[in-house]
């Protein structure tokens, strides 16, 4: 009887907290629309922007945050509109810009920004009618590297700086496509220019800087589930990088699914215009199922 009483008391309190929790303040006129160029954080005096794509109904929604690629020194959040179809599956989709590498801006500025974006979303959960406990990140190439770091690092890494520090930058699911996982491994010389420009160093050397920039450095058993996608004809980032990430996550008992896209290049498409295995449609289905399983 005592155990039952405690069980029902806890259930009652949980329901009470839910009923009394923060209510959404989202303007219903935004449903089904896009809100562009929202400032999420200001880093070193530079406003960083995100685009927000709203589902047509429901909520609080889980979040899919897209981090663009571009060798860490180019690219734009506009790419994220391609994931707007996830609105139909009940996800709020966010695409973020971040400080790009140049002669003055170097890594970890990019990661500091995307971490701030996650914290911003949590701090404004009621404004956007989102579930702050279910945020996933997806990125390709440089974006794949950054979302992998979002998945493996926490505050102890020292990259949570700026605003909303009372909130966590951890995410609950990661989709990393064609990203670098280990900067100490054999990196093709063709990447040295962009890596040096964005990081101020060369990869492929066992230096403290390369170790610190590598997502595998921070893997622990409490990391979120990963979906790793990489083409076996990727001429930019070797397939070996995805194999390393899969191996290290598996060794740490972190749930992960590793998909080799046969015939896929750096963009997971066929360089000759042929079919890949799995096809683009099946890859999209895999992504949707992974997000449904881990964020809902």
């Amino acid at each position: 009887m005592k155990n039952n009483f405690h069980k029902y008391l806890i259930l009652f309190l949980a329901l009470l907290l839910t009923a009394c929790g923060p209510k959404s303040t989202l303007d219903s006129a935004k449903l089904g629309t896009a809100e562009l160029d929202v400032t999420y954080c200001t880093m070193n005096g530079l406003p960083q922007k995100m685009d927000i794509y709203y589902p047509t109904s429901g909520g609080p929604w889980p979040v899919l945050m897209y981090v663009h690629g571009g060798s860490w020194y180019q690219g734009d959040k506009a790419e994220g509109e391609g994931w707007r179809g996830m609105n139909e599956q009940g996800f709020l989709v966010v695409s973020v810009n971040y400080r790009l590498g140049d002669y003055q801006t170097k890594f970890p500025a990019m990661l500091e920004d995307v971490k701030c974006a996650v914290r911003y979303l949590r701090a404004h959960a009621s404004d956007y009618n989102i579930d702050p406990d279910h945020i996933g990140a997806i990125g390709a190439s440089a974006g794949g590297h950054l979302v992998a770091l979002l998945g493996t690092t926490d505050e102890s890494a020292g990259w949570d700086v700026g605003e909303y520090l009372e909130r966590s930058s951890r995410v609950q699911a990661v989709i990393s496509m064609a990203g670098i996982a280990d900067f100490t491994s054999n990196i093709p010389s063709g990447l040295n220019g962009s890596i040096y420009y964005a990081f101020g160093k060369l990869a492929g050397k066992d230096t403290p800087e390369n170790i610190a920039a590598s997502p595998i450095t921070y893997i622990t058993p409490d990391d979120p589930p990963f979906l790793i996608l990489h083409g076996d004809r990727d001429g930019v980032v070797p397939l070996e990088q995805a194999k390393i990430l899969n191996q290290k996550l598996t060794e740490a008992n972190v749930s992960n699914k590793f998909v080799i896209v046969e015939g896929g290049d750096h963009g997971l498409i066929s360089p000759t215009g042929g079919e890949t295995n799995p096809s683009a449609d099946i890859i999209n289905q895999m992504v949707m199922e992974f997000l449904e399983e881990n964020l809902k």
Side-chain angles (χ1 to χ4, degrees), residues 104-123:
Q104 292 183 318
T105 303
K106 305 295 183 187
F107 181 87
M110 312 84 179
L111 181 60
E112 291 171 351
D113 293 354
V114 295
K115 279 180 166 289
C116 196
V118 176
R119 299 196 306 270
Y120 169 86
L121 290 169
R122 288 205 164 96

Side-chain angles (χ1 to χ4, degrees), residues 54-89:
Y54 294 96
T56 57
S57 62
W61 306 294
V63 177
L64 176 62
M65 186 175 85
Y66 177 76
V67 180
H68 70 77
S71 301
W72 304 278
Y73 71 88
Q74 58 186 349
D76 188 80
K77 58 183 171 56
E79 296 175 9
E81 186 175 10
W83 292 100
R84 193 172 182 176
M86 293 303 297
N87 287 160
E88 298 175 8
Q89 308 303 320

Side-chain angles (χ1 to χ4, degrees), residues 23-25 60 120-132:
K23 299 298 183 182
S24 172
T25 59
Y120 169 86
L121 290 169
R122 288 205 164 96
H124 294 85
S126 62
D127 297 334
Y128 298 118
N129 196 19
I130 62 173
D131 179 352

Side-chain angles (χ1 to χ4, degrees), residues 181-203:
D182 181 9
F183 278 89
T184 70
S185 66
N186 185 24
I187 302 294
S189 59
L191 281 173
N192 278 337
S194 58
I195 290 175
Y196 188 80
Y197 190 59
F199 290 76
K201 60 180 177 58
L202 296 178

Side-chain angles (χ1 to χ4, degrees), residues 250-268:
T250 301
E251 289 174 355
N253 294 317
V254 177
S255 174
N256 74 97
K257 182 175 183 179
F258 177 29
V259 179
I260 298 175
V261 181
E262 297 175 3
D265 60 12
H266 192 53
L268 305 183

